[in-house]
Amino acid sequence: MRFVARFLILVTLVWGCLGFLTPLQAHAELNAFDQKLTTEFGQKVDLNNATIRAFRDFRGFYPNLASKIIKNAPYDRVEDVLDISGLSETQKARLQANLDKFTVTEPAKEINEGGDRINPGIY
């Protein structure tokens, strides 16, 4: 009886270990947000999808200029951000100096729903 019990335990352990060693199947289809990460979205600030916190690294953007950028989205081109009404000359100069650090992709509902771009709840 002990032999049978030990044999079953050994078979179970080997079976379990083989299950951990097999590679997981990668999903062929990416969701909309994961597809964005394969574009410039991961390297540059996306004016149509980034939250306000993405602008913290840019001097003079956070929080006022960043809020204006987000509230006036969506943009068709990066240069469209210069057409926001009510920008001061200083704000326009800061935008102009950083245009190469921005990108524009299609607005994603997964990112933009609920107004979380202004207040993403991270404190």
Side-chain angles (χ1 to χ4, degrees):
M1 188 65 168
R2 284 185 177 176
F3 175 75
V4 173
R6 288 180 181 164
F7 179 74
L8 288 175
I9 291 172
L10 181 64
V11 168
T12 305
L13 287 173
V14 170
W15 185 270
C17 289
L18 288 176
F20 286 116
L21 295 177
T22 59
L24 297 174
Q25 293 289 331
H27 294 285
E29 295 181 30
L30 297 174
N31 64 33
F33 187 75
D34 287 339
Q35 287 175 350
K36 280 201 177 294
L37 292 177
T38 63
T39 64
E40 287 184 325
F41 181 76
Q43 291 77 35
K44 295 184 177 185
V45 175
D46 186 347
L47 298 176
N48 288 335
N49 295 296
T51 66
I52 194 168
R53 292 180 59 87
F55 294 95
R56 292 181 84 183
D57 295 336
F58 301 101
R59 185 173 181 264
F61 278 66
Y62 184 81
N64 296 333
L65 183 54
S67 296
K68 288 181 183 180
I69 293 169
I70 290 171
K71 288 177 183 175
N72 286 284
Y75 303 99
D76 294 323
R77 301 175 304 125
V78 172
E79 293 77 18
D80 291 346
V81 76
L82 297 171
D83 297 333
I84 297 173
S85 63
L87 290 178
S88 69
E89 290 303 317
T90 304
Q91 290 174 326
K92 285 183 182 181
R94 287 184 176 148
L95 282 169
Q96 186 70 40
N98 290 290
L99 285 180
D100 61 327
K101 297 175 183 143
F102 301 135
T103 188
V104 171
T105 63
E106 286 295 315
K109 69 174 186 168
E110 297 85 4
I111 300 170
N112 289 295
E113 281 183 350
D116 289 343
R117 291 181 64 204
I118 295 288
N119 183 6
I122 303 170
Y123 304 103

